[in-house]
Short mmCIF file of all heavy atoms in Angstrom, two decimals:
data_model
loop_
_atom_site.label_atom_id
_atom_site.label_comp_id
_atom_site.label_asym_id
_atom_site.label_seq_id
_atom_site.Cartn_x
_atom_site.Cartn_y
_atom_site.Cartn_z
N MET Y 12 73.90 99.18 119.34
CA MET Y 12 74.63 99.66 118.21
C MET Y 12 73.68 99.66 117.00
O MET Y 12 73.10 98.64 116.68
CB MET Y 12 75.84 98.78 117.94
CG MET Y 12 76.69 99.28 116.81
SD MET Y 12 78.29 98.48 116.82
CE MET Y 12 78.27 97.71 115.22
N SER Y 13 73.59 100.77 116.32
CA SER Y 13 72.73 100.87 115.16
C SER Y 13 73.36 100.20 113.95
O SER Y 13 74.60 100.06 113.88
CB SER Y 13 72.47 102.33 114.80
OG SER Y 13 71.55 102.87 115.69
N ASP Y 14 72.52 99.82 113.04
CA ASP Y 14 73.04 99.24 111.78
C ASP Y 14 73.30 100.38 110.82
O ASP Y 14 72.38 101.19 110.52
CB ASP Y 14 72.01 98.26 111.20
CG ASP Y 14 71.82 97.02 112.06
OD1 ASP Y 14 72.82 96.58 112.66
OD2 ASP Y 14 70.69 96.52 112.14
N PHE Y 15 74.52 100.44 110.31
CA PHE Y 15 74.86 101.42 109.29
C PHE Y 15 74.76 100.74 107.96
O PHE Y 15 75.00 99.54 107.82
CB PHE Y 15 76.27 101.94 109.52
CG PHE Y 15 76.42 102.75 110.78
CD1 PHE Y 15 77.33 102.35 111.78
CD2 PHE Y 15 75.68 103.89 111.00
CE1 PHE Y 15 77.47 103.06 112.92
CE2 PHE Y 15 75.81 104.62 112.18
CZ PHE Y 15 76.72 104.19 113.14
N VAL Y 16 74.47 101.49 106.94
CA VAL Y 16 74.35 101.00 105.57
C VAL Y 16 75.56 101.50 104.79
O VAL Y 16 75.76 102.69 104.67
CB VAL Y 16 73.03 101.43 104.91
CG1 VAL Y 16 72.99 100.95 103.49
CG2 VAL Y 16 71.86 100.96 105.73
N PHE Y 17 76.36 100.58 104.27
CA PHE Y 17 77.48 100.89 103.40
C PHE Y 17 77.00 100.92 101.98
O PHE Y 17 76.34 99.97 101.54
CB PHE Y 17 78.59 99.87 103.58
CG PHE Y 17 79.72 100.01 102.61
CD1 PHE Y 17 80.66 101.00 102.77
CD2 PHE Y 17 79.82 99.20 101.49
CE1 PHE Y 17 81.67 101.17 101.89
CE2 PHE Y 17 80.85 99.38 100.58
CZ PHE Y 17 81.79 100.35 100.77
N GLN Y 18 77.30 102.01 101.29
CA GLN Y 18 76.89 102.10 99.88
C GLN Y 18 78.07 102.57 99.04
O GLN Y 18 78.97 103.24 99.50
CB GLN Y 18 75.77 103.13 99.71
CG GLN Y 18 74.52 102.73 100.46
CD GLN Y 18 73.40 103.79 100.32
OE1 GLN Y 18 73.63 104.89 99.90
NE2 GLN Y 18 72.21 103.43 100.68
N TYR Y 19 78.08 102.13 97.77
CA TYR Y 19 79.11 102.55 96.87
C TYR Y 19 78.48 102.90 95.54
O TYR Y 19 77.40 102.36 95.17
CB TYR Y 19 80.20 101.49 96.70
CG TYR Y 19 79.71 100.18 96.18
CD1 TYR Y 19 79.80 99.88 94.82
CD2 TYR Y 19 79.15 99.23 97.01
CE1 TYR Y 19 79.32 98.69 94.29
CE2 TYR Y 19 78.68 98.02 96.49
CZ TYR Y 19 78.76 97.75 95.17
OH TYR Y 19 78.30 96.58 94.65
N ASP Y 20 79.09 103.78 94.79
CA ASP Y 20 78.61 104.21 93.49
C ASP Y 20 78.88 103.08 92.46
O ASP Y 20 80.02 102.88 92.08
CB ASP Y 20 79.31 105.50 93.05
CG ASP Y 20 78.83 106.00 91.71
OD1 ASP Y 20 78.05 105.34 91.04
OD2 ASP Y 20 79.23 107.14 91.37
N LYS Y 21 77.82 102.42 92.06
CA LYS Y 21 77.98 101.28 91.18
C LYS Y 21 78.39 101.69 89.74
O LYS Y 21 78.76 100.85 88.94
CB LYS Y 21 76.67 100.50 91.14
CG LYS Y 21 76.41 99.80 92.47
CD LYS Y 21 75.06 99.12 92.52
CE LYS Y 21 74.77 98.41 93.82
NZ LYS Y 21 74.59 99.27 94.96
N ASN Y 22 78.33 102.99 89.46
CA ASN Y 22 78.81 103.49 88.17
C ASN Y 22 80.31 103.69 88.19
O ASN Y 22 80.95 103.78 87.14
CB ASN Y 22 78.14 104.79 87.81
CG ASN Y 22 76.65 104.63 87.58
OD1 ASN Y 22 76.21 103.69 86.95
ND2 ASN Y 22 75.87 105.53 88.11
N THR Y 23 80.91 103.75 89.39
CA THR Y 23 82.34 103.96 89.54
C THR Y 23 83.05 102.72 90.00
O THR Y 23 84.17 102.43 89.57
CB THR Y 23 82.57 105.10 90.59
OG1 THR Y 23 81.88 106.28 90.21
CG2 THR Y 23 84.06 105.43 90.72
N LEU Y 24 82.42 101.95 90.88
CA LEU Y 24 83.04 100.76 91.47
C LEU Y 24 82.15 99.55 91.34
O LEU Y 24 80.94 99.66 91.22
CB LEU Y 24 83.24 101.01 93.00
CG LEU Y 24 84.12 102.17 93.41
CD1 LEU Y 24 83.91 102.51 94.88
CD2 LEU Y 24 85.56 101.84 93.16
N THR Y 25 82.79 98.38 91.39
CA THR Y 25 82.02 97.14 91.48
C THR Y 25 82.51 96.37 92.69
O THR Y 25 83.50 96.77 93.33
CB THR Y 25 82.28 96.24 90.22
OG1 THR Y 25 83.60 95.69 90.26
CG2 THR Y 25 82.04 97.02 88.91
N THR Y 26 81.85 95.28 93.01
CA THR Y 26 82.29 94.49 94.14
C THR Y 26 83.65 93.83 93.88
O THR Y 26 84.30 93.36 94.81
CB THR Y 26 81.23 93.42 94.51
OG1 THR Y 26 81.07 92.59 93.33
CG2 THR Y 26 79.96 94.03 94.98
N GLN Y 27 84.10 93.83 92.65
CA GLN Y 27 85.39 93.28 92.27
C GLN Y 27 86.50 94.36 92.16
O GLN Y 27 87.64 94.02 91.85
CB GLN Y 27 85.28 92.52 90.96
CG GLN Y 27 84.30 91.40 91.01
CD GLN Y 27 84.64 90.35 92.04
OE1 GLN Y 27 85.77 89.87 92.10
NE2 GLN Y 27 83.66 90.00 92.86
N SER Y 28 86.15 95.61 92.38
CA SER Y 28 87.16 96.70 92.27
C SER Y 28 88.24 96.52 93.30
O SER Y 28 87.99 96.15 94.47
CB SER Y 28 86.47 98.05 92.48
OG SER Y 28 85.55 98.33 91.41
N GLU Y 29 89.44 96.86 92.92
CA GLU Y 29 90.58 96.81 93.83
C GLU Y 29 90.86 98.24 94.28
O GLU Y 29 91.02 99.15 93.47
CB GLU Y 29 91.78 96.21 93.14
CG GLU Y 29 91.56 94.75 92.84
CD GLU Y 29 92.83 94.09 92.28
OE1 GLU Y 29 93.95 94.61 92.55
OE2 GLU Y 29 92.69 93.05 91.64
N LEU Y 30 90.94 98.43 95.61
CA LEU Y 30 91.19 99.73 96.18
C LEU Y 30 92.48 99.67 96.98
O LEU Y 30 92.78 98.66 97.62
CB LEU Y 30 90.06 100.15 97.12
CG LEU Y 30 88.67 100.33 96.48
CD1 LEU Y 30 87.68 100.64 97.58
CD2 LEU Y 30 88.71 101.46 95.46
N LEU Y 31 93.20 100.79 96.98
CA LEU Y 31 94.37 100.90 97.82
C LEU Y 31 93.91 101.34 99.19
O LEU Y 31 93.27 102.39 99.34
CB LEU Y 31 95.31 101.96 97.24
CG LEU Y 31 96.58 102.27 98.00
CD1 LEU Y 31 97.47 101.05 98.06
CD2 LEU Y 31 97.28 103.45 97.40
N VAL Y 32 94.14 100.47 100.18
CA VAL Y 32 93.68 100.78 101.58
C VAL Y 32 94.90 100.57 102.48
O VAL Y 32 95.49 99.48 102.47
CB VAL Y 32 92.54 99.85 102.01
CG1 VAL Y 32 92.12 100.16 103.45
CG2 VAL Y 32 91.36 100.02 101.07
N SER Y 33 95.30 101.60 103.18
CA SER Y 33 96.47 101.50 104.07
C SER Y 33 96.16 100.72 105.33
O SER Y 33 94.98 100.54 105.69
CB SER Y 33 96.99 102.88 104.41
OG SER Y 33 96.09 103.51 105.26
N VAL Y 34 97.18 100.26 105.99
CA VAL Y 34 97.03 99.59 107.26
C VAL Y 34 96.39 100.55 108.27
O VAL Y 34 95.55 100.16 109.08
CB VAL Y 34 98.39 99.04 107.77
CG1 VAL Y 34 98.28 98.52 109.20
CG2 VAL Y 34 98.89 97.94 106.85
N ALA Y 35 96.79 101.81 108.20
CA ALA Y 35 96.21 102.82 109.09
C ALA Y 35 94.70 102.96 108.86
O ALA Y 35 93.93 103.11 109.83
CB ALA Y 35 96.89 104.18 108.89
N ASP Y 36 94.28 102.92 107.58
CA ASP Y 36 92.81 103.00 107.27
C ASP Y 36 92.10 101.80 107.89
O ASP Y 36 91.04 101.95 108.46
CB ASP Y 36 92.59 103.06 105.78
CG ASP Y 36 93.02 104.33 105.13
OD1 ASP Y 36 93.05 105.37 105.83
OD2 ASP Y 36 93.33 104.31 103.91
N LEU Y 37 92.69 100.62 107.72
CA LEU Y 37 92.10 99.42 108.28
C LEU Y 37 91.98 99.51 109.81
O LEU Y 37 90.96 99.18 110.42
CB LEU Y 37 92.87 98.18 107.90
CG LEU Y 37 92.76 97.73 106.46
CD1 LEU Y 37 93.69 96.56 106.21
CD2 LEU Y 37 91.33 97.35 106.12
N ARG Y 38 93.08 100.00 110.44
CA ARG Y 38 93.08 100.14 111.89
C ARG Y 38 91.97 101.11 112.31
O ARG Y 38 91.21 100.83 113.24
CB ARG Y 38 94.44 100.63 112.34
CG ARG Y 38 94.56 100.90 113.83
CD ARG Y 38 95.62 101.90 114.21
NE ARG Y 38 95.38 103.17 113.55
CZ ARG Y 38 96.34 103.98 113.12
NH1 ARG Y 38 97.60 103.64 113.22
NH2 ARG Y 38 96.03 105.12 112.55
N ASP Y 39 91.90 102.24 111.62
CA ASP Y 39 90.90 103.27 111.96
C ASP Y 39 89.48 102.76 111.76
O ASP Y 39 88.59 103.06 112.52
CB ASP Y 39 91.13 104.52 111.15
CG ASP Y 39 92.43 105.25 111.50
OD1 ASP Y 39 93.03 104.93 112.56
OD2 ASP Y 39 92.84 106.11 110.73
N LEU Y 40 89.29 101.98 110.70
CA LEU Y 40 87.97 101.39 110.43
C LEU Y 40 87.56 100.45 111.56
O LEU Y 40 86.44 100.53 112.07
CB LEU Y 40 88.02 100.65 109.08
CG LEU Y 40 86.71 100.12 108.56
CD1 LEU Y 40 85.73 101.25 108.28
CD2 LEU Y 40 86.93 99.30 107.30
N VAL Y 41 88.47 99.57 111.97
CA VAL Y 41 88.14 98.63 113.05
C VAL Y 41 87.91 99.40 114.35
O VAL Y 41 86.96 99.12 115.08
CB VAL Y 41 89.30 97.62 113.20
CG1 VAL Y 41 89.11 96.80 114.47
CG2 VAL Y 41 89.34 96.71 111.97
N GLN Y 42 88.74 100.37 114.62
CA GLN Y 42 88.61 101.14 115.87
C GLN Y 42 87.30 101.96 115.90
O GLN Y 42 86.73 102.15 116.97
CB GLN Y 42 89.82 102.05 116.09
CG GLN Y 42 91.04 101.27 116.51
CD GLN Y 42 92.26 102.18 116.71
OE1 GLN Y 42 92.29 103.33 116.27
NE2 GLN Y 42 93.26 101.66 117.38
N ALA Y 43 86.87 102.38 114.74
CA ALA Y 43 85.62 103.17 114.66
C ALA Y 43 84.44 102.36 115.26
O ALA Y 43 83.56 102.95 115.92
CB ALA Y 43 85.34 103.59 113.24
N PHE Y 44 84.44 101.08 115.02
CA PHE Y 44 83.33 100.27 115.52
C PHE Y 44 83.33 100.07 117.02
O PHE Y 44 82.39 99.58 117.59
CB PHE Y 44 83.28 98.92 114.79
CG PHE Y 44 82.73 99.05 113.40
CD1 PHE Y 44 83.58 99.08 112.31
CD2 PHE Y 44 81.38 99.21 113.19
CE1 PHE Y 44 83.08 99.26 111.02
CE2 PHE Y 44 80.86 99.33 111.89
CZ PHE Y 44 81.72 99.36 110.80
N THR Y 45 84.46 100.45 117.67
CA THR Y 45 84.53 100.35 119.15
C THR Y 45 84.04 101.62 119.82
O THR Y 45 83.88 101.65 121.04
CB THR Y 45 85.96 100.05 119.63
OG1 THR Y 45 86.79 101.14 119.30
CG2 THR Y 45 86.50 98.77 118.94
N ILE Y 46 83.76 102.67 119.06
CA ILE Y 46 83.31 103.94 119.60
C ILE Y 46 81.86 103.75 120.09
O ILE Y 46 81.00 103.36 119.32
CB ILE Y 46 83.40 105.08 118.58
CG1 ILE Y 46 84.86 105.29 118.16
CG2 ILE Y 46 82.81 106.37 119.11
CD1 ILE Y 46 85.08 106.22 116.99
N GLN Y 47 81.64 104.07 121.35
CA GLN Y 47 80.29 103.88 121.92
C GLN Y 47 79.28 104.86 121.41
O GLN Y 47 78.12 104.51 121.18
CB GLN Y 47 80.40 103.98 123.46
CG GLN Y 47 81.24 102.90 124.09
CD GLN Y 47 80.67 101.53 123.85
OE1 GLN Y 47 79.48 101.29 123.93
NE2 GLN Y 47 81.56 100.56 123.49
N ASP Y 48 79.68 106.10 121.24
CA ASP Y 48 78.76 107.16 120.79
C ASP Y 48 78.47 106.98 119.28
O ASP Y 48 79.36 107.01 118.45
CB ASP Y 48 79.36 108.52 121.03
CG ASP Y 48 78.43 109.65 120.60
OD1 ASP Y 48 77.51 109.99 121.39
OD2 ASP Y 48 78.60 110.16 119.47
N GLU Y 49 77.19 106.74 118.97
CA GLU Y 49 76.80 106.42 117.60
C GLU Y 49 77.12 107.52 116.62
O GLU Y 49 77.59 107.29 115.50
CB GLU Y 49 75.28 106.14 117.58
CG GLU Y 49 74.80 105.65 116.25
CD GLU Y 49 73.34 105.25 116.31
OE1 GLU Y 49 72.94 104.54 117.26
OE2 GLU Y 49 72.60 105.63 115.39
N VAL Y 50 76.90 108.77 117.01
CA VAL Y 50 77.19 109.94 116.08
C VAL Y 50 78.68 110.02 115.83
O VAL Y 50 79.11 110.18 114.68
CB VAL Y 50 76.63 111.24 116.70
CG1 VAL Y 50 77.06 112.43 115.91
CG2 VAL Y 50 75.13 111.17 116.82
N GLN Y 51 79.48 109.88 116.87
CA GLN Y 51 80.92 109.95 116.72
C GLN Y 51 81.43 108.78 115.90
O GLN Y 51 82.30 108.91 115.03
CB GLN Y 51 81.59 109.94 118.09
CG GLN Y 51 83.09 110.16 118.02
CD GLN Y 51 83.71 110.17 119.41
OE1 GLN Y 51 83.04 110.05 120.42
NE2 GLN Y 51 85.01 110.24 119.44
N ARG Y 52 80.84 107.59 116.07
CA ARG Y 52 81.20 106.40 115.30
C ARG Y 52 80.95 106.66 113.80
O ARG Y 52 81.79 106.38 112.95
CB ARG Y 52 80.43 105.19 115.79
CG ARG Y 52 80.82 103.90 115.08
CD ARG Y 52 80.03 102.70 115.59
NE ARG Y 52 79.54 102.76 116.95
CZ ARG Y 52 78.29 102.73 117.33
NH1 ARG Y 52 77.35 102.56 116.42
NH2 ARG Y 52 77.96 102.81 118.57
N LEU Y 53 79.78 107.17 113.50
CA LEU Y 53 79.43 107.45 112.12
C LEU Y 53 80.37 108.49 111.52
O LEU Y 53 80.81 108.37 110.36
CB LEU Y 53 78.00 107.91 112.02
CG LEU Y 53 77.43 108.15 110.63
CD1 LEU Y 53 77.51 106.89 109.77
CD2 LEU Y 53 75.97 108.62 110.70
N GLN Y 54 80.71 109.53 112.27
CA GLN Y 54 81.64 110.56 111.82
C GLN Y 54 83.01 109.95 111.49
O GLN Y 54 83.62 110.26 110.47
CB GLN Y 54 81.80 111.68 112.85
CG GLN Y 54 80.57 112.55 112.95
CD GLN Y 54 80.66 113.54 114.09
OE1 GLN Y 54 81.44 113.39 115.02
NE2 GLN Y 54 79.85 114.57 114.04
N GLU Y 55 83.48 109.07 112.34
CA GLU Y 55 84.77 108.42 112.13
C GLU Y 55 84.74 107.55 110.88
O GLU Y 55 85.70 107.54 110.11
CB GLU Y 55 85.20 107.63 113.32
CG GLU Y 55 86.57 107.02 113.21
CD GLU Y 55 87.69 108.02 113.11
OE1 GLU Y 55 87.53 109.19 113.50
OE2 GLU Y 55 88.78 107.62 112.61
N LEU Y 56 83.66 106.84 110.68
CA LEU Y 56 83.52 106.01 109.48
C LEU Y 56 83.57 106.88 108.23
O LEU Y 56 84.18 106.52 107.23
CB LEU Y 56 82.24 105.18 109.52
CG LEU Y 56 82.24 104.03 110.56
CD1 LEU Y 56 80.85 103.45 110.66
CD2 LEU Y 56 83.25 103.00 110.17
N HIS Y 57 82.91 108.06 108.29
CA HIS Y 57 82.94 109.00 107.14
C HIS Y 57 84.36 109.43 106.86
O HIS Y 57 84.78 109.53 105.67
CB HIS Y 57 82.06 110.20 107.43
CG HIS Y 57 80.62 109.97 107.24
ND1 HIS Y 57 80.02 109.93 105.98
CD2 HIS Y 57 79.62 109.76 108.14
CE1 HIS Y 57 78.72 109.70 106.14
NE2 HIS Y 57 78.45 109.58 107.43
N VAL Y 58 85.11 109.74 107.90
CA VAL Y 58 86.48 110.21 107.74
C VAL Y 58 87.34 109.12 107.08
O VAL Y 58 88.10 109.38 106.13
CB VAL Y 58 87.09 110.63 109.10
CG1 VAL Y 58 88.61 110.85 108.99
CG2 VAL Y 58 86.43 111.88 109.64
N VAL Y 59 87.22 107.88 107.55
CA VAL Y 59 88.02 106.79 107.01
C VAL Y 59 87.64 106.54 105.56
O VAL Y 59 88.53 106.42 104.67
CB VAL Y 59 87.81 105.50 107.84
CG1 VAL Y 59 88.55 104.32 107.16
CG2 VAL Y 59 88.33 105.69 109.23
N LEU Y 60 86.34 106.51 105.26
CA LEU Y 60 85.95 106.26 103.83
C LEU Y 60 86.39 107.39 102.94
O LEU Y 60 86.78 107.16 101.82
CB LEU Y 60 84.44 106.03 103.75
CG LEU Y 60 83.96 104.69 104.37
CD1 LEU Y 60 82.43 104.61 104.24
CD2 LEU Y 60 84.61 103.52 103.71
N SER Y 61 86.33 108.63 103.43
CA SER Y 61 86.76 109.79 102.66
C SER Y 61 88.26 109.68 102.36
O SER Y 61 88.69 110.03 101.26
CB SER Y 61 86.48 111.07 103.40
OG SER Y 61 85.11 111.31 103.51
N SER Y 62 89.02 109.20 103.29
CA SER Y 62 90.45 109.01 103.08
C SER Y 62 90.70 107.96 101.99
O SER Y 62 91.54 108.16 101.11
CB SER Y 62 91.09 108.55 104.38
OG SER Y 62 92.45 108.20 104.19
N ILE Y 63 89.96 106.86 102.02
CA ILE Y 63 90.09 105.82 101.01
C ILE Y 63 89.72 106.34 99.64
O ILE Y 63 90.40 106.09 98.64
CB ILE Y 63 89.26 104.56 101.40
CG1 ILE Y 63 89.86 103.92 102.66
CG2 ILE Y 63 89.24 103.57 100.24
CD1 ILE Y 63 89.00 102.85 103.29
N VAL Y 64 88.65 107.12 99.55
CA VAL Y 64 88.20 107.73 98.30
C VAL Y 64 89.28 108.62 97.75
O VAL Y 64 89.63 108.56 96.56
CB VAL Y 64 86.87 108.48 98.50
CG1 VAL Y 64 86.59 109.42 97.31
CG2 VAL Y 64 85.72 107.50 98.69
N ARG Y 65 89.84 109.46 98.62
CA ARG Y 65 90.85 110.44 98.18
C ARG Y 65 92.13 109.70 97.71
O ARG Y 65 92.65 110.05 96.64
CB ARG Y 65 91.20 111.36 99.35
CG ARG Y 65 92.15 112.48 99.03
CD ARG Y 65 92.34 113.47 100.21
NE ARG Y 65 92.77 112.81 101.43
CZ ARG Y 65 91.97 112.57 102.48
NH1 ARG Y 65 90.72 112.95 102.45
NH2 ARG Y 65 92.42 111.94 103.55
N LYS Y 66 92.58 108.70 98.45
CA LYS Y 66 93.81 107.97 98.08
C LYS Y 66 93.64 107.23 96.75
O LYS Y 66 94.59 107.00 96.05
CB LYS Y 66 94.18 107.01 99.17
CG LYS Y 66 94.70 107.67 100.42
CD LYS Y 66 94.95 106.67 101.50
CE LYS Y 66 95.33 107.41 102.77
NZ LYS Y 66 95.45 106.47 103.92
N ASN Y 67 92.44 106.83 96.43
CA ASN Y 67 92.17 106.09 95.19
C ASN Y 67 91.71 107.01 94.08
O ASN Y 67 91.33 106.53 93.00
CB ASN Y 67 91.16 104.99 95.46
CG ASN Y 67 91.79 103.86 96.23
OD1 ASN Y 67 92.45 102.99 95.64
ND2 ASN Y 67 91.63 103.81 97.53
N LYS Y 68 91.70 108.32 94.32
CA LYS Y 68 91.28 109.31 93.34
C LYS Y 68 89.94 109.02 92.75
O LYS Y 68 89.72 109.11 91.51
CB LYS Y 68 92.35 109.42 92.26
CG LYS Y 68 93.71 109.88 92.78
CD LYS Y 68 94.72 110.03 91.69
CE LYS Y 68 95.97 110.62 92.22
NZ LYS Y 68 97.07 109.74 92.42
N LEU Y 69 89.03 108.65 93.64
CA LEU Y 69 87.65 108.38 93.21
C LEU Y 69 86.79 109.63 93.36
O LEU Y 69 87.15 110.53 94.16
CB LEU Y 69 87.05 107.28 94.08
CG LEU Y 69 87.71 105.91 94.02
CD1 LEU Y 69 87.19 105.00 95.13
CD2 LEU Y 69 87.48 105.29 92.66
N PRO Y 70 85.69 109.75 92.67
CA PRO Y 70 84.81 110.90 92.82
C PRO Y 70 84.24 110.91 94.26
O PRO Y 70 84.01 109.87 94.85
CB PRO Y 70 83.68 110.65 91.82
CG PRO Y 70 84.20 109.63 90.85
CD PRO Y 70 85.23 108.85 91.60
N ASN Y 71 84.08 112.11 94.80
CA ASN Y 71 83.48 112.25 96.15
C ASN Y 71 82.14 111.55 96.15
O ASN Y 71 81.39 111.59 95.19
CB ASN Y 71 83.26 113.72 96.49
CG ASN Y 71 84.57 114.40 96.81
OD1 ASN Y 71 85.54 113.76 97.17
ND2 ASN Y 71 84.57 115.71 96.69
N GLY Y 72 81.86 110.85 97.26
CA GLY Y 72 80.60 110.13 97.40
C GLY Y 72 80.65 108.73 96.84
O GLY Y 72 79.62 108.03 96.85
N SER Y 73 81.82 108.27 96.37
CA SER Y 73 81.88 106.91 95.81
C SER Y 73 81.67 105.83 96.87
O SER Y 73 81.15 104.75 96.60
CB SER Y 73 83.24 106.68 95.15
OG SER Y 73 83.39 107.52 94.01
N LEU Y 74 82.11 106.11 98.09
CA LEU Y 74 81.93 105.25 99.21
C LEU Y 74 81.27 106.02 100.37
O LEU Y 74 81.77 107.04 100.76
CB LEU Y 74 83.27 104.69 99.74
CG LEU Y 74 84.11 103.91 98.74
CD1 LEU Y 74 85.49 103.62 99.37
CD2 LEU Y 74 83.44 102.64 98.34
N VAL Y 75 80.15 105.57 100.85
CA VAL Y 75 79.44 106.25 101.93
C VAL Y 75 78.88 105.23 102.93
O VAL Y 75 78.66 104.07 102.59
CB VAL Y 75 78.34 107.18 101.45
CG1 VAL Y 75 78.88 108.30 100.60
CG2 VAL Y 75 77.29 106.39 100.69
N VAL Y 76 78.67 105.73 104.13
CA VAL Y 76 77.99 104.95 105.14
C VAL Y 76 76.93 105.85 105.77
O VAL Y 76 77.17 107.03 105.95
CB VAL Y 76 78.99 104.40 106.19
CG1 VAL Y 76 79.64 105.49 106.99
CG2 VAL Y 76 78.32 103.38 107.09
N GLU Y 77 75.75 105.31 105.95
CA GLU Y 77 74.64 106.09 106.51
C GLU Y 77 74.10 105.37 107.74
O GLU Y 77 74.11 104.18 107.86
CB GLU Y 77 73.53 106.22 105.49
CG GLU Y 77 73.95 106.96 104.24
CD GLU Y 77 72.86 107.00 103.20
OE1 GLU Y 77 71.95 106.14 103.23
OE2 GLU Y 77 72.87 107.88 102.39
#
């Protein structure tokens, strides 16, 4: 399993920021790490983070994983 790098826009968020994250988002996040195919795993992580960004009305790219 490759190491992914989680990044956030420090101009928009801090490590103390509170985000609205649904139980479904948490479930999807945990399940993403069980995906064997690395490319598919990364795509699923992008989808989950995009959902969290959208629900919190943050600018696109506020949360990313590479």
Side-chain angles (χ1 to χ4, degrees):
M12 183 165 121
S13 284
D14 293 324
F15 295 119
V16 177
F17 172 77
Q18 297 178 347
Y19 61 95
D20 180 353
K21 292 174 180 70
N22 295 317
T23 305
L24 300 164
T25 71
T26 56
Q27 301 299 311
S28 295
E29 293 186 22
L30 298 175
L31 178 66
V32 179
S33 70
V34 172
D36 291 333
L37 288 174
R38 178 202 60 214
D39 294 345
L40 186 64
V41 169
Q42 287 180 342
F44 284 101
T45 67
I46 298 171
Q47 296 297 318
D48 181 82
E49 187 175 314
V50 173
Q51 186 179 358
R52 184 179 331 119
L53 184 58
Q54 289 173 341
E55 184 63 20
L56 290 170
H57 282 282
V58 169
V59 174
L60 290 179
S61 293
S62 174
I63 293 169
V64 165
R65 186 175 54 255
K66 289 175 186 174
N67 286 278
K68 298 181 173 105
L69 297 170
N71 287 337
S73 294
L74 301 172
V75 295
V76 65
E77 297 176 337

